[in-house]
Amino acid sequence: SAVISQKPSRDICQRGTSLTIQCQVDSQVTMMFWYRQQPGQSLTLIATANQGSEATYESGFVIDKFPISRPNLTFSTLTVSNMSPEDSSIYLCSAQTGGEKLFFGSGTQLSVL
Amino acid sequence: GEDVEQSLFLSVREGDSSVINCTYTDSSSTYLYWYKQEPGAGLQLLTYIFSNMDMKQDQRLTVLLNKKDKHLSLRIADTQTGDSAIYFCAEIPGGSYIPTFGRGTSLIVHP
């Protein structure tokens, strides 16, 4: 299994500012993902964080709004830029090990005023 | 329609068995998962099953897979109040490495 540390666990931010969320895995993993979970909804994949190259974004998500870094096989960051109240959500980091197991961090509860 | 579907709510009495159901659309799915999310927390991997299996049991949890009907279920025996949470079904479609999640079933356990 993999232990994923995600921080911050929650934050309240002002409109127009940016927040960077960090995700640290206790072992090297090939795949890391960032998800958004809006209240009462399922998980929506934002992007796949690729080590050593640009992230792969899903439809509806762009790099300017959600820049992602993946400097090595154990760490990734997601920035939510120029925030608006519509960005209020839970953001989840996940890592895939052994090709079949997907583990999650504890999530970041973001509120934008 | 959605690729993975679940009923939104399930209410059971403490001590009874809970059965949470999930249907999916991709017949070439490789792995199917059940996750548990408690309030304010991330998703905890409960169990998973490979598509060539029919059943998997792990203590109080039993996973049944009916590939013909593309139906997955999670049975929790002797349900406790600590089992109250949202349970997500997920699949990895064939040819992909990215899971698709259902909307989650909120399990409410009452005395």
Side-chain angles (χ1 to χ4, degrees), chain A residues 37 40, chain B residues 6 8 20 35-39 43 83-88 103-107:
Chain A
Q37 183 183 23
Chain B
Q6 305 175 236
L8 294 183
I20 303 172
Y35 286 88
K36 175 183 180 183
Q37 186 179 36
E38 296 180 86
L43 273 68
D83 295 323
S84 293
I86 300 175
Y87 291 80
F88 288 93
R103 292 183 62 186
T105 299
S106 181
L107 175 64

PDB file of all heavy atoms in Angstrom, chain A residues 37 40, chain B residues 6 8 20 35-39 43 83-88 103-107:
ATOM      1  N   GLN A  37     -13.806  17.025  -6.075  1.00  0.00           N
ATOM      2  CA  GLN A  37     -15.064  16.437  -5.625  1.00  0.00           C
ATOM      3  C   GLN A  37     -15.948  17.561  -5.102  1.00  0.00           C
ATOM      4  O   GLN A  37     -15.685  18.142  -4.048  1.00  0.00           O
ATOM      5  CB  GLN A  37     -14.823  15.404  -4.525  1.00  0.00           C
ATOM      6  CG  GLN A  37     -16.097  14.702  -4.079  1.00  0.00           C
ATOM      7  CD  GLN A  37     -15.861  13.730  -2.936  1.00  0.00           C
ATOM      8  OE1 GLN A  37     -14.897  13.844  -2.188  1.00  0.00           O
ATOM      9  NE2 GLN A  37     -16.756  12.769  -2.795  1.00  0.00           N
ATOM     10  N   GLY A  40     -21.717  16.444  -2.767  1.00  0.00           N
ATOM     11  CA  GLY A  40     -22.719  15.492  -3.230  1.00  0.00           C
ATOM     12  C   GLY A  40     -22.420  14.880  -4.582  1.00  0.00           C
ATOM     13  O   GLY A  40     -23.273  14.180  -5.135  1.00  0.00           O
TER      14      GLY A  40
ATOM     15  N   GLN B   6     -24.731   4.069  -9.209  1.00  0.00           N
ATOM     16  CA  GLN B   6     -25.016   3.554  -7.869  1.00  0.00           C
ATOM     17  C   GLN B   6     -26.269   4.251  -7.362  1.00  0.00           C
ATOM     18  O   GLN B   6     -26.537   5.388  -7.723  1.00  0.00           O
ATOM     19  CB  GLN B   6     -23.900   3.878  -6.872  1.00  0.00           C
ATOM     20  CG  GLN B   6     -22.519   3.439  -7.232  1.00  0.00           C
ATOM     21  CD  GLN B   6     -21.502   3.936  -6.216  1.00  0.00           C
ATOM     22  OE1 GLN B   6     -20.548   4.616  -6.579  1.00  0.00           O
ATOM     23  NE2 GLN B   6     -21.672   3.556  -4.955  1.00  0.00           N
ATOM     24  N   LEU B   8     -28.151   6.288  -4.486  1.00  0.00           N
ATOM     25  CA  LEU B   8     -27.549   7.361  -3.700  1.00  0.00           C
ATOM     26  C   LEU B   8     -27.595   7.116  -2.190  1.00  0.00           C
ATOM     27  O   LEU B   8     -26.734   7.601  -1.464  1.00  0.00           O
ATOM     28  CB  LEU B   8     -28.224   8.686  -4.030  1.00  0.00           C
ATOM     29  CG  LEU B   8     -28.013   9.197  -5.450  1.00  0.00           C
ATOM     30  CD1 LEU B   8     -28.685  10.553  -5.628  1.00  0.00           C
ATOM     31  CD2 LEU B   8     -26.541   9.276  -5.800  1.00  0.00           C
ATOM     32  N   ILE B  20     -24.565  -2.925  -1.111  1.00  0.00           N
ATOM     33  CA  ILE B  20     -24.471  -1.737  -1.958  1.00  0.00           C
ATOM     34  C   ILE B  20     -24.190  -2.212  -3.379  1.00  0.00           C
ATOM     35  O   ILE B  20     -23.276  -3.006  -3.603  1.00  0.00           O
ATOM     36  CB  ILE B  20     -23.340  -0.810  -1.471  1.00  0.00           C
ATOM     37  CG1 ILE B  20     -23.575  -0.427  -0.006  1.00  0.00           C
ATOM     38  CG2 ILE B  20     -23.271   0.442  -2.341  1.00  0.00           C
ATOM     39  CD1 ILE B  20     -22.418   0.316   0.625  1.00  0.00           C
ATOM     40  N   TYR B  35     -14.508   1.967  -2.528  1.00  0.00           N
ATOM     41  CA  TYR B  35     -13.868   2.918  -1.634  1.00  0.00           C
ATOM     42  C   TYR B  35     -14.868   3.393  -0.594  1.00  0.00           C
ATOM     43  O   TYR B  35     -16.067   3.463  -0.845  1.00  0.00           O
ATOM     44  CB  TYR B  35     -13.369   4.150  -2.407  1.00  0.00           C
ATOM     45  CG  TYR B  35     -12.143   3.902  -3.242  1.00  0.00           C
ATOM     46  CD1 TYR B  35     -12.254   3.437  -4.543  1.00  0.00           C
ATOM     47  CD2 TYR B  35     -10.877   4.143  -2.727  1.00  0.00           C
ATOM     48  CE1 TYR B  35     -11.125   3.209  -5.314  1.00  0.00           C
ATOM     49  CE2 TYR B  35      -9.743   3.928  -3.486  1.00  0.00           C
ATOM     50  CZ  TYR B  35      -9.874   3.466  -4.775  1.00  0.00           C
ATOM     51  OH  TYR B  35      -8.745   3.245  -5.530  1.00  0.00           O
ATOM     52  N   LYS B  36     -14.340   3.779   0.569  1.00  0.00           N
ATOM     53  CA  LYS B  36     -15.160   4.320   1.653  1.00  0.00           C
ATOM     54  C   LYS B  36     -14.672   5.738   1.951  1.00  0.00           C
ATOM     55  O   LYS B  36     -13.461   5.969   2.059  1.00  0.00           O
ATOM     56  CB  LYS B  36     -15.012   3.452   2.909  1.00  0.00           C
ATOM     57  CG  LYS B  36     -15.730   3.967   4.144  1.00  0.00           C
ATOM     58  CD  LYS B  36     -15.457   3.058   5.340  1.00  0.00           C
ATOM     59  CE  LYS B  36     -16.157   3.537   6.599  1.00  0.00           C
ATOM     60  NZ  LYS B  36     -15.835   2.676   7.782  1.00  0.00           N
ATOM     61  N   GLN B  37     -15.608   6.683   2.055  1.00  0.00           N
ATOM     62  CA  GLN B  37     -15.254   8.053   2.403  1.00  0.00           C
ATOM     63  C   GLN B  37     -16.052   8.500   3.608  1.00  0.00           C
ATOM     64  O   GLN B  37     -17.274   8.607   3.544  1.00  0.00           O
ATOM     65  CB  GLN B  37     -15.501   9.004   1.229  1.00  0.00           C
ATOM     66  CG  GLN B  37     -15.009  10.420   1.510  1.00  0.00           C
ATOM     67  CD  GLN B  37     -15.234  11.366   0.343  1.00  0.00           C
ATOM     68  OE1 GLN B  37     -16.226  11.276  -0.360  1.00  0.00           O
ATOM     69  NE2 GLN B  37     -14.299  12.288   0.130  1.00  0.00           N
ATOM     70  N   GLU B  38     -15.360   8.763   4.683  1.00  0.00           N
ATOM     71  CA  GLU B  38     -15.994   9.309   5.877  1.00  0.00           C
ATOM     72  C   GLU B  38     -15.976  10.833   5.795  1.00  0.00           C
ATOM     73  O   GLU B  38     -15.176  11.403   5.046  1.00  0.00           O
ATOM     74  CB  GLU B  38     -15.281   8.792   7.118  1.00  0.00           C
ATOM     75  CG  GLU B  38     -15.410   7.274   7.245  1.00  0.00           C
ATOM     76  CD  GLU B  38     -14.727   6.711   8.469  1.00  0.00           C
ATOM     77  OE1 GLU B  38     -15.370   6.698   9.540  1.00  0.00           O
ATOM     78  OE2 GLU B  38     -13.571   6.289   8.352  1.00  0.00           O
ATOM     79  N   PRO B  39     -16.837  11.493   6.546  1.00  0.00           N
ATOM     80  CA  PRO B  39     -16.927  12.958   6.460  1.00  0.00           C
ATOM     81  C   PRO B  39     -15.581  13.632   6.674  1.00  0.00           C
ATOM     82  O   PRO B  39     -14.857  13.333   7.621  1.00  0.00           O
ATOM     83  CB  PRO B  39     -17.921  13.300   7.579  1.00  0.00           C
ATOM     84  CG  PRO B  39     -18.754  12.085   7.738  1.00  0.00           C
ATOM     85  CD  PRO B  39     -17.826  10.925   7.482  1.00  0.00           C
ATOM     86  N   LEU B  43     -10.575   9.200   0.280  1.00  0.00           N
ATOM     87  CA  LEU B  43     -11.153   7.895  -0.025  1.00  0.00           C
ATOM     88  C   LEU B  43     -10.228   6.787   0.455  1.00  0.00           C
ATOM     89  O   LEU B  43      -9.029   6.797   0.179  1.00  0.00           O
ATOM     90  CB  LEU B  43     -11.384   7.739  -1.533  1.00  0.00           C
ATOM     91  CG  LEU B  43     -12.700   8.264  -2.075  1.00  0.00           C
ATOM     92  CD1 LEU B  43     -12.758   9.769  -1.990  1.00  0.00           C
ATOM     93  CD2 LEU B  43     -12.912   7.783  -3.500  1.00  0.00           C
ATOM     94  N   ASP B  83     -19.616   2.020  10.179  1.00  0.00           N
ATOM     95  CA  ASP B  83     -19.658   1.787   8.729  1.00  0.00           C
ATOM     96  C   ASP B  83     -20.402   2.889   7.995  1.00  0.00           C
ATOM     97  O   ASP B  83     -20.395   2.922   6.758  1.00  0.00           O
ATOM     98  CB  ASP B  83     -20.326   0.440   8.431  1.00  0.00           C
ATOM     99  CG  ASP B  83     -19.528  -0.748   8.967  1.00  0.00           C
ATOM    100  OD1 ASP B  83     -18.280  -0.691   8.909  1.00  0.00           O
ATOM    101  OD2 ASP B  83     -20.155  -1.720   9.441  1.00  0.00           O
ATOM    102  N   SER B  84     -21.037   3.794   8.736  1.00  0.00           N
ATOM    103  CA  SER B  84     -21.751   4.902   8.096  1.00  0.00           C
ATOM    104  C   SER B  84     -20.749   5.766   7.345  1.00  0.00           C
ATOM    105  O   SER B  84     -19.786   6.278   7.927  1.00  0.00           O
ATOM    106  CB  SER B  84     -22.474   5.753   9.150  1.00  0.00           C
ATOM    107  OG  SER B  84     -23.513   5.028   9.766  1.00  0.00           O
ATOM    108  N   ALA B  85     -20.955   5.913   6.059  1.00  0.00           N
ATOM    109  CA  ALA B  85     -20.023   6.634   5.197  1.00  0.00           C
ATOM    110  C   ALA B  85     -20.606   6.651   3.791  1.00  0.00           C
ATOM    111  O   ALA B  85     -21.689   6.123   3.544  1.00  0.00           O
ATOM    112  CB  ALA B  85     -18.652   5.951   5.180  1.00  0.00           C
ATOM    113  N   ILE B  86     -19.856   7.238   2.870  1.00  0.00           N
ATOM    114  CA  ILE B  86     -20.207   7.165   1.451  1.00  0.00           C
ATOM    115  C   ILE B  86     -19.308   6.112   0.815  1.00  0.00           C
ATOM    116  O   ILE B  86     -18.092   6.113   1.032  1.00  0.00           O
ATOM    117  CB  ILE B  86     -20.037   8.520   0.750  1.00  0.00           C
ATOM    118  CG1 ILE B  86     -20.937   9.570   1.416  1.00  0.00           C
ATOM    119  CG2 ILE B  86     -20.390   8.397  -0.733  1.00  0.00           C
ATOM    120  CD1 ILE B  86     -20.738  10.974   0.856  1.00  0.00           C
ATOM    121  N   TYR B  87     -19.911   5.222   0.050  1.00  0.00           N
ATOM    122  CA  TYR B  87     -19.173   4.140  -0.599  1.00  0.00           C
ATOM    123  C   TYR B  87     -19.176   4.370  -2.111  1.00  0.00           C
ATOM    124  O   TYR B  87     -20.221   4.509  -2.730  1.00  0.00           O
ATOM    125  CB  TYR B  87     -19.798   2.784  -0.255  1.00  0.00           C
ATOM    126  CG  TYR B  87     -19.588   2.417   1.199  1.00  0.00           C
ATOM    127  CD1 TYR B  87     -20.403   2.954   2.187  1.00  0.00           C
ATOM    128  CD2 TYR B  87     -18.550   1.568   1.581  1.00  0.00           C
ATOM    129  CE1 TYR B  87     -20.193   2.652   3.531  1.00  0.00           C
ATOM    130  CE2 TYR B  87     -18.337   1.255   2.923  1.00  0.00           C
ATOM    131  CZ  TYR B  87     -19.160   1.806   3.883  1.00  0.00           C
ATOM    132  OH  TYR B  87     -18.939   1.502   5.207  1.00  0.00           O
ATOM    133  N   PHE B  88     -17.980   4.400  -2.673  1.00  0.00           N
ATOM    134  CA  PHE B  88     -17.829   4.637  -4.106  1.00  0.00           C
ATOM    135  C   PHE B  88     -17.406   3.357  -4.814  1.00  0.00           C
ATOM    136  O   PHE B  88     -16.484   2.662  -4.382  1.00  0.00           O
ATOM    137  CB  PHE B  88     -16.759   5.704  -4.371  1.00  0.00           C
ATOM    138  CG  PHE B  88     -17.175   7.094  -4.001  1.00  0.00           C
ATOM    139  CD1 PHE B  88     -16.887   7.602  -2.744  1.00  0.00           C
ATOM    140  CD2 PHE B  88     -17.848   7.896  -4.906  1.00  0.00           C
ATOM    141  CE1 PHE B  88     -17.258   8.891  -2.393  1.00  0.00           C
ATOM    142  CE2 PHE B  88     -18.229   9.188  -4.567  1.00  0.00           C
ATOM    143  CZ  PHE B  88     -17.939   9.690  -3.310  1.00  0.00           C
ATOM    144  N   ARG B 103     -21.232   7.917  -8.321  1.00  0.00           N
ATOM    145  CA  ARG B 103     -21.525   9.105  -7.523  1.00  0.00           C
ATOM    146  C   ARG B 103     -21.523   8.817  -6.030  1.00  0.00           C
ATOM    147  O   ARG B 103     -21.625   9.732  -5.231  1.00  0.00           O
ATOM    148  CB  ARG B 103     -22.876   9.688  -7.946  1.00  0.00           C
ATOM    149  CG  ARG B 103     -22.867  10.262  -9.341  1.00  0.00           C
ATOM    150  CD  ARG B 103     -24.194  10.883  -9.694  1.00  0.00           C
ATOM    151  NE  ARG B 103     -24.496  12.005  -8.806  1.00  0.00           N
ATOM    152  CZ  ARG B 103     -25.649  12.652  -8.813  1.00  0.00           C
ATOM    153  NH1 ARG B 103     -26.606  12.275  -9.629  1.00  0.00           N
ATOM    154  NH2 ARG B 103     -25.858  13.662  -7.998  1.00  0.00           N
ATOM    155  N   GLY B 104     -21.408   7.536  -5.675  1.00  0.00           N
ATOM    156  CA  GLY B 104     -21.331   7.207  -4.258  1.00  0.00           C
ATOM    157  C   GLY B 104     -22.684   6.876  -3.661  1.00  0.00           C
ATOM    158  O   GLY B 104     -23.697   7.471  -4.030  1.00  0.00           O
ATOM    159  N   THR B 105     -22.688   5.919  -2.743  1.00  0.00           N
ATOM    160  CA  THR B 105     -23.884   5.531  -1.993  1.00  0.00           C
ATOM    161  C   THR B 105     -23.672   5.910  -0.543  1.00  0.00           C
ATOM    162  O   THR B 105     -22.697   5.467   0.085  1.00  0.00           O
ATOM    163  CB  THR B 105     -24.142   4.015  -2.092  1.00  0.00           C
ATOM    164  OG1 THR B 105     -24.352   3.659  -3.452  1.00  0.00           O
ATOM    165  CG2 THR B 105     -25.351   3.615  -1.255  1.00  0.00           C
ATOM    166  N   SER B 106     -24.559   6.716  -0.021  1.00  0.00           N
ATOM    167  CA  SER B 106     -24.465   7.122   1.376  1.00  0.00           C
ATOM    168  C   SER B 106     -25.128   6.060   2.245  1.00  0.00           C
ATOM    169  O   SER B 106     -26.346   5.844   2.154  1.00  0.00           O
ATOM    170  CB  SER B 106     -25.146   8.480   1.564  1.00  0.00           C
ATOM    171  OG  SER B 106     -25.051   8.896   2.910  1.00  0.00           O
ATOM    172  N   LEU B 107     -24.342   5.359   3.040  1.00  0.00           N
ATOM    173  CA  LEU B 107     -24.847   4.316   3.935  1.00  0.00           C
ATOM    174  C   LEU B 107     -25.109   4.916   5.311  1.00  0.00           C
ATOM    175  O   LEU B 107     -24.203   5.483   5.932  1.00  0.00           O
ATOM    176  CB  LEU B 107     -23.848   3.173   4.047  1.00  0.00           C
ATOM    177  CG  LEU B 107     -24.198   2.063   5.049  1.00  0.00           C
ATOM    178  CD1 LEU B 107     -25.473   1.340   4.632  1.00  0.00           C
ATOM    179  CD2 LEU B 107     -23.039   1.077   5.197  1.00  0.00           C
TER     180      LEU B 107
END
